[in-house]
Amino acid sequence: MSHAARKAHLGLTILGCFGGGSLYGWSGYLPAVRAHFSVSNAAASMVFSLALVSFTLGVLLGPLLLAKVSKRLRLPLIAGLAALSLGLAGASTGFAGFVIAYGVCFGFAAGAFYNHAISEASASASATLLVPVSVGAFGLGGAAFGPVQVWLTASGWGLWSSAPALATLAVTTVVALVVRPLPKANRAEPLRPPPLTKPDRTIAILAIIFAAGSYSGLIVLGLASQMLPRAETGVGFASLAIFLAAMGNTLGRLSSALIAGRFGPVHGIAGAMALSMITLGGLIFTSAPGVVVGLLFLVAFAYGQLAATMPLLVRSQVSGEAFSGSFGWVFTGWGAAGLIGPWTAGWLLDATGTVRVSLLSCIALAGLSLWLVLKFTKPGRAKEDC
């Protein structure tokens, strides 16, 4: 592939990350889903939980499936699948069809795209720049499209409030197919599957750390607009809450390299969990919309730091050859938190009218993650590997 072609490919990949990152703006889409299908918070939140599980499967299985496709078709294939999934979700007339289109297909495509983007960026000569940019673009997608979906829903767009994200992914697909110069080699380049890793005690503990620590952040990303005091807020505050939650996630991810590099991944994650517990406690005792929005930002910031630092922690605790397989198992902890967290929080919100019970469970799980990372990992070794 020529240098110009590779630059074009990386640019399109980052644009696709921006569109796929609309998944993190789900709480902006949630009101449209509830209104269109007349479903509860629990049912609507279940779609997001399923999408996160599908995202996990996309991260794990995407590389194996894309290995069967020529390199020039991988980007337009997954971008096209993501765009098609959003289109089918927007056109859904039944809730079951929407669940399949968004919760299964779009979630899987977003996960496969995320893995593809990180792999491409890591293989670049400018990996230290492009990996954070790709991760940041994914987070910015939630910050941009979430509030836009709130405004479009209020303007009567309904399920088609996802149109801007769909358009971004459609443009990525078309440009990748039509404009991008062809590489010389047009044959599929199979990827060698990573060696199977048998889960052990260390991997199990790391998975629990990831699951328990991610629980609160995934709830905030999925239900940010529903966590505001409803009597005192409108579309403006709901949009601001979604924007700041997504931005907190993005900034947390981008700042994680500096913090982990300075203090090591063990202490980086410990600090993120301590921040999460403090801010979650603040959410229990305040109902001022401005304060709630600021605290949601900090919870998402702590989650972003955890999510971006976990690969460094895993690498510091397992041998180099076992990293790929080990991280696959650890990532299932994130998927479990995504399945249980948003759906359970939505169900409790319907049942009690408040998120207080969910916040208490988030504090307990963040405390568990903090205790495990300090007690069962090796700070000295982790810091050296950074």
Side-chain angles (χ1 to χ4, degrees), residues 95-139:
F95 187 59
F98 178 82
V99 171
I100 294 172
Y102 193 97
V104 177
C105 297
F106 181 63
F108 184 89
F113 204 110
Y114 184 82
N115 186 295
H116 177 75
I118 298 303
S119 298
E120 289 293 311
S122 299
S124 168
S126 304
T128 54
L129 171 65
L130 291 175
V131 169
V133 167
S134 299
V135 171
F138 214 91

Short mmCIF file of all heavy atoms in Angstrom, two decimals, residues 95-139:
data_model
loop_
_atom_site.label_atom_id
_atom_site.label_comp_id
_atom_site.label_asym_id
_atom_site.label_seq_id
_atom_site.Cartn_x
_atom_site.Cartn_y
_atom_site.Cartn_z
N PHE A 95 -40.15 -3.55 18.19
CA PHE A 95 -39.06 -3.45 19.15
C PHE A 95 -38.05 -4.57 18.95
O PHE A 95 -36.84 -4.36 19.07
CB PHE A 95 -39.61 -3.45 20.58
CG PHE A 95 -38.57 -3.19 21.63
CD1 PHE A 95 -37.84 -2.01 21.62
CD2 PHE A 95 -38.32 -4.11 22.64
CE1 PHE A 95 -36.88 -1.75 22.59
CE2 PHE A 95 -37.36 -3.87 23.61
CZ PHE A 95 -36.64 -2.69 23.59
N ALA A 96 -38.53 -5.77 18.63
CA ALA A 96 -37.62 -6.91 18.44
C ALA A 96 -36.67 -6.64 17.28
O ALA A 96 -35.47 -6.93 17.36
CB ALA A 96 -38.42 -8.18 18.19
N GLY A 97 -37.18 -6.07 16.19
CA GLY A 97 -36.33 -5.74 15.06
C GLY A 97 -35.29 -4.69 15.41
O GLY A 97 -34.14 -4.77 14.97
N PHE A 98 -35.69 -3.73 16.22
CA PHE A 98 -34.75 -2.69 16.66
C PHE A 98 -33.65 -3.29 17.53
O PHE A 98 -32.48 -2.93 17.39
CB PHE A 98 -35.49 -1.60 17.43
CG PHE A 98 -34.60 -0.52 17.96
CD1 PHE A 98 -34.19 0.53 17.15
CD2 PHE A 98 -34.15 -0.56 19.28
CE1 PHE A 98 -33.35 1.52 17.62
CE2 PHE A 98 -33.30 0.43 19.76
CZ PHE A 98 -32.90 1.47 18.94
N VAL A 99 -34.03 -4.19 18.42
CA VAL A 99 -33.04 -4.84 19.29
C VAL A 99 -32.00 -5.58 18.46
O VAL A 99 -30.79 -5.49 18.73
CB VAL A 99 -33.74 -5.82 20.26
CG1 VAL A 99 -32.71 -6.66 21.01
CG2 VAL A 99 -34.60 -5.05 21.26
N ILE A 100 -32.45 -6.28 17.42
CA ILE A 100 -31.50 -7.01 16.57
C ILE A 100 -30.61 -6.05 15.80
O ILE A 100 -29.39 -6.22 15.74
CB ILE A 100 -32.26 -7.94 15.61
CG1 ILE A 100 -32.98 -9.04 16.41
CG2 ILE A 100 -31.31 -8.55 14.59
CD1 ILE A 100 -33.91 -9.90 15.58
N ALA A 101 -31.23 -5.01 15.20
CA ALA A 101 -30.47 -4.08 14.36
C ALA A 101 -29.45 -3.29 15.18
O ALA A 101 -28.28 -3.18 14.79
CB ALA A 101 -31.41 -3.13 13.64
N TYR A 102 -29.89 -2.73 16.30
CA TYR A 102 -28.99 -1.88 17.09
C TYR A 102 -28.21 -2.68 18.12
O TYR A 102 -26.98 -2.59 18.20
CB TYR A 102 -29.79 -0.77 17.78
CG TYR A 102 -28.91 0.32 18.36
CD1 TYR A 102 -28.70 1.50 17.65
CD2 TYR A 102 -28.29 0.19 19.61
CE1 TYR A 102 -27.89 2.51 18.16
CE2 TYR A 102 -27.48 1.18 20.11
CZ TYR A 102 -27.28 2.34 19.40
OH TYR A 102 -26.46 3.32 19.90
N GLY A 103 -28.94 -3.44 18.93
CA GLY A 103 -28.30 -4.14 20.04
C GLY A 103 -27.34 -5.23 19.60
O GLY A 103 -26.31 -5.44 20.25
N VAL A 104 -27.65 -5.92 18.51
CA VAL A 104 -26.79 -7.02 18.04
C VAL A 104 -25.85 -6.55 16.94
O VAL A 104 -24.63 -6.59 17.07
CB VAL A 104 -27.64 -8.22 17.57
CG1 VAL A 104 -26.73 -9.32 17.03
CG2 VAL A 104 -28.50 -8.74 18.71
N CYS A 105 -26.43 -6.07 15.83
CA CYS A 105 -25.62 -5.78 14.63
C CYS A 105 -24.75 -4.54 14.80
O CYS A 105 -23.55 -4.59 14.52
CB CYS A 105 -26.53 -5.63 13.42
SG CYS A 105 -27.45 -7.13 13.01
N PHE A 106 -25.34 -3.43 15.25
CA PHE A 106 -24.54 -2.22 15.39
C PHE A 106 -23.50 -2.38 16.49
O PHE A 106 -22.35 -1.94 16.34
CB PHE A 106 -25.41 -1.00 15.68
CG PHE A 106 -24.63 0.27 15.81
CD1 PHE A 106 -23.90 0.77 14.75
CD2 PHE A 106 -24.61 0.97 17.02
CE1 PHE A 106 -23.17 1.95 14.87
CE2 PHE A 106 -23.88 2.14 17.15
CZ PHE A 106 -23.15 2.63 16.07
N GLY A 107 -23.87 -3.00 17.59
CA GLY A 107 -22.90 -3.22 18.67
C GLY A 107 -21.72 -4.04 18.20
O GLY A 107 -20.56 -3.72 18.48
N PHE A 108 -21.99 -5.12 17.44
CA PHE A 108 -20.91 -5.97 16.93
C PHE A 108 -20.03 -5.20 15.95
O PHE A 108 -18.79 -5.27 16.02
CB PHE A 108 -21.50 -7.21 16.24
CG PHE A 108 -20.46 -8.18 15.77
CD1 PHE A 108 -20.00 -9.19 16.60
CD2 PHE A 108 -19.93 -8.10 14.48
CE1 PHE A 108 -19.04 -10.09 16.18
CE2 PHE A 108 -18.97 -8.99 14.05
CZ PHE A 108 -18.52 -9.99 14.89
N ALA A 109 -20.66 -4.45 15.03
CA ALA A 109 -19.90 -3.69 14.05
C ALA A 109 -19.02 -2.64 14.72
O ALA A 109 -17.87 -2.43 14.32
CB ALA A 109 -20.85 -3.03 13.05
N ALA A 110 -19.55 -1.98 15.74
CA ALA A 110 -18.77 -0.96 16.46
C ALA A 110 -17.56 -1.59 17.14
O ALA A 110 -16.45 -1.03 17.13
CB ALA A 110 -19.65 -0.24 17.47
N GLY A 111 -17.74 -2.78 17.72
CA GLY A 111 -16.63 -3.46 18.37
C GLY A 111 -15.57 -3.90 17.38
O GLY A 111 -14.37 -3.74 17.62
N ALA A 112 -16.01 -4.43 16.24
CA ALA A 112 -15.06 -4.84 15.21
C ALA A 112 -14.31 -3.63 14.66
O ALA A 112 -13.11 -3.70 14.39
CB ALA A 112 -15.80 -5.56 14.08
N PHE A 113 -15.02 -2.52 14.51
CA PHE A 113 -14.39 -1.30 14.00
C PHE A 113 -13.36 -0.78 15.00
O PHE A 113 -12.25 -0.36 14.62
CB PHE A 113 -15.44 -0.22 13.74
CG PHE A 113 -15.02 0.80 12.73
CD1 PHE A 113 -15.61 0.85 11.49
CD2 PHE A 113 -14.01 1.71 13.01
CE1 PHE A 113 -15.21 1.78 10.54
CE2 PHE A 113 -13.60 2.63 12.08
CZ PHE A 113 -14.21 2.67 10.83
N TYR A 114 -13.71 -0.83 16.28
CA TYR A 114 -12.79 -0.36 17.33
C TYR A 114 -11.50 -1.17 17.30
O TYR A 114 -10.39 -0.62 17.33
CB TYR A 114 -13.48 -0.48 18.69
CG TYR A 114 -12.67 0.05 19.85
CD1 TYR A 114 -12.66 1.41 20.13
CD2 TYR A 114 -11.96 -0.81 20.68
CE1 TYR A 114 -11.94 1.91 21.20
CE2 TYR A 114 -11.23 -0.31 21.75
CZ TYR A 114 -11.23 1.05 22.01
OH TYR A 114 -10.51 1.53 23.07
N ASN A 115 -11.63 -2.48 17.22
CA ASN A 115 -10.46 -3.35 17.18
C ASN A 115 -9.63 -3.07 15.93
O ASN A 115 -8.40 -2.98 15.99
CB ASN A 115 -10.89 -4.81 17.22
CG ASN A 115 -9.72 -5.77 17.32
OD1 ASN A 115 -8.90 -5.87 16.42
ND2 ASN A 115 -9.65 -6.50 18.43
N HIS A 116 -10.30 -2.93 14.79
CA HIS A 116 -9.61 -2.66 13.53
C HIS A 116 -8.84 -1.34 13.61
O HIS A 116 -7.69 -1.25 13.18
CB HIS A 116 -10.63 -2.61 12.39
CG HIS A 116 -10.02 -2.27 11.06
ND1 HIS A 116 -9.28 -3.18 10.33
CD2 HIS A 116 -10.04 -1.12 10.33
CE1 HIS A 116 -8.87 -2.61 9.20
NE2 HIS A 116 -9.32 -1.36 9.18
N ALA A 117 -9.48 -0.32 14.17
CA ALA A 117 -8.84 0.99 14.27
C ALA A 117 -7.60 0.95 15.15
O ALA A 117 -6.54 1.49 14.79
CB ALA A 117 -9.83 2.02 14.82
N ILE A 118 -7.71 0.29 16.31
CA ILE A 118 -6.57 0.20 17.22
C ILE A 118 -5.43 -0.60 16.59
O ILE A 118 -4.26 -0.26 16.71
CB ILE A 118 -6.99 -0.43 18.56
CG1 ILE A 118 -8.05 0.43 19.24
CG2 ILE A 118 -5.78 -0.60 19.47
CD1 ILE A 118 -7.63 1.86 19.50
N SER A 119 -5.78 -1.67 15.87
CA SER A 119 -4.76 -2.50 15.22
C SER A 119 -4.03 -1.72 14.14
O SER A 119 -2.80 -1.78 14.03
CB SER A 119 -5.41 -3.75 14.61
OG SER A 119 -6.01 -4.54 15.61
N GLU A 120 -4.78 -0.97 13.33
CA GLU A 120 -4.17 -0.18 12.26
C GLU A 120 -3.29 0.92 12.84
O GLU A 120 -2.19 1.18 12.34
CB GLU A 120 -5.26 0.41 11.36
CG GLU A 120 -5.98 -0.60 10.50
CD GLU A 120 -5.08 -1.19 9.44
OE1 GLU A 120 -4.38 -0.44 8.74
OE2 GLU A 120 -5.05 -2.44 9.33
N ALA A 121 -3.80 1.59 13.87
CA ALA A 121 -3.03 2.68 14.48
C ALA A 121 -1.76 2.15 15.14
O ALA A 121 -0.69 2.77 15.06
CB ALA A 121 -3.89 3.42 15.49
N SER A 122 -1.85 0.98 15.77
CA SER A 122 -0.69 0.40 16.45
C SER A 122 0.39 0.00 15.46
O SER A 122 1.58 0.04 15.79
CB SER A 122 -1.12 -0.84 17.25
OG SER A 122 -2.06 -0.49 18.24
N ALA A 123 0.00 -0.35 14.23
CA ALA A 123 0.96 -0.77 13.23
C ALA A 123 1.60 0.41 12.50
O ALA A 123 2.51 0.23 11.70
CB ALA A 123 0.28 -1.68 12.21
N SER A 124 1.12 1.62 12.79
CA SER A 124 1.64 2.81 12.12
C SER A 124 2.94 3.27 12.76
O SER A 124 3.22 2.99 13.94
CB SER A 124 0.61 3.94 12.18
OG SER A 124 1.16 5.17 11.78
N ALA A 125 3.74 3.99 11.98
CA ALA A 125 4.99 4.56 12.52
C ALA A 125 4.68 5.63 13.55
O ALA A 125 5.54 5.97 14.36
CB ALA A 125 5.82 5.14 11.38
N SER A 126 3.46 6.17 13.51
CA SER A 126 3.04 7.21 14.46
C SER A 126 2.06 6.64 15.47
O SER A 126 1.07 7.29 15.83
CB SER A 126 2.42 8.40 13.71
OG SER A 126 3.29 8.92 12.75
N ALA A 127 2.33 5.42 15.93
CA ALA A 127 1.39 4.73 16.81
C ALA A 127 1.10 5.52 18.08
O ALA A 127 -0.05 5.57 18.54
CB ALA A 127 1.93 3.34 17.17
N THR A 128 2.13 6.17 18.67
CA THR A 128 1.92 6.88 19.93
C THR A 128 0.95 8.05 19.76
O THR A 128 0.33 8.49 20.73
CB THR A 128 3.25 7.41 20.48
OG1 THR A 128 3.90 8.19 19.46
CG2 THR A 128 4.15 6.26 20.88
N LEU A 129 0.80 8.55 18.54
CA LEU A 129 -0.16 9.61 18.26
C LEU A 129 -1.50 9.06 17.81
O LEU A 129 -2.56 9.47 18.30
CB LEU A 129 0.40 10.55 17.18
CG LEU A 129 -0.59 11.59 16.62
CD1 LEU A 129 -0.98 12.58 17.70
CD2 LEU A 129 0.02 12.30 15.42
N LEU A 130 -1.46 8.07 16.90
CA LEU A 130 -2.69 7.61 16.27
C LEU A 130 -3.56 6.74 17.18
O LEU A 130 -4.78 6.75 17.04
CB LEU A 130 -2.36 6.85 14.99
CG LEU A 130 -1.81 7.73 13.85
CD1 LEU A 130 -1.40 6.87 12.67
CD2 LEU A 130 -2.86 8.74 13.42
N VAL A 131 -2.95 5.98 18.09
CA VAL A 131 -3.76 5.17 19.00
C VAL A 131 -4.62 6.07 19.90
O VAL A 131 -5.84 5.89 19.97
CB VAL A 131 -2.89 4.21 19.84
CG1 VAL A 131 -3.72 3.57 20.95
CG2 VAL A 131 -2.30 3.13 18.94
N PRO A 132 -4.05 7.08 20.58
CA PRO A 132 -4.90 7.97 21.37
C PRO A 132 -5.91 8.74 20.52
O PRO A 132 -7.04 8.97 20.96
CB PRO A 132 -3.90 8.94 22.02
CG PRO A 132 -2.60 8.21 22.02
CD PRO A 132 -2.62 7.39 20.78
N VAL A 133 -5.52 9.13 19.30
CA VAL A 133 -6.45 9.85 18.43
C VAL A 133 -7.63 8.95 18.05
O VAL A 133 -8.79 9.39 18.05
CB VAL A 133 -5.73 10.35 17.15
CG1 VAL A 133 -6.74 10.81 16.11
CG2 VAL A 133 -4.79 11.49 17.50
N SER A 134 -7.36 7.68 17.74
CA SER A 134 -8.44 6.75 17.39
C SER A 134 -9.37 6.52 18.58
O SER A 134 -10.60 6.55 18.43
CB SER A 134 -7.85 5.42 16.92
OG SER A 134 -7.05 5.59 15.77
N VAL A 135 -8.78 6.29 19.75
CA VAL A 135 -9.58 6.10 20.96
C VAL A 135 -10.39 7.37 21.25
O VAL A 135 -11.57 7.32 21.59
CB VAL A 135 -8.67 5.74 22.15
CG1 VAL A 135 -9.46 5.76 23.45
CG2 VAL A 135 -8.04 4.37 21.93
N GLY A 136 -9.72 8.53 21.09
CA GLY A 136 -10.40 9.79 21.35
C GLY A 136 -11.53 10.05 20.38
O GLY A 136 -12.58 10.57 20.77
N ALA A 137 -11.34 9.68 19.11
CA ALA A 137 -12.40 9.87 18.11
C ALA A 137 -13.63 9.04 18.46
O ALA A 137 -14.77 9.49 18.30
CB ALA A 137 -11.89 9.48 16.72
N PHE A 138 -13.40 7.84 18.98
CA PHE A 138 -14.53 7.00 19.39
C PHE A 138 -15.30 7.65 20.53
O PHE A 138 -16.53 7.69 20.53
CB PHE A 138 -14.01 5.62 19.80
CG PHE A 138 -14.93 4.50 19.46
CD1 PHE A 138 -14.83 3.84 18.24
CD2 PHE A 138 -15.92 4.11 20.34
CE1 PHE A 138 -15.69 2.80 17.91
CE2 PHE A 138 -16.79 3.07 20.02
CZ PHE A 138 -16.67 2.42 18.80
N GLY A 139 -14.56 8.19 21.50
CA GLY A 139 -15.22 8.86 22.61
C GLY A 139 -15.91 10.14 22.18
O GLY A 139 -17.02 10.46 22.65
#
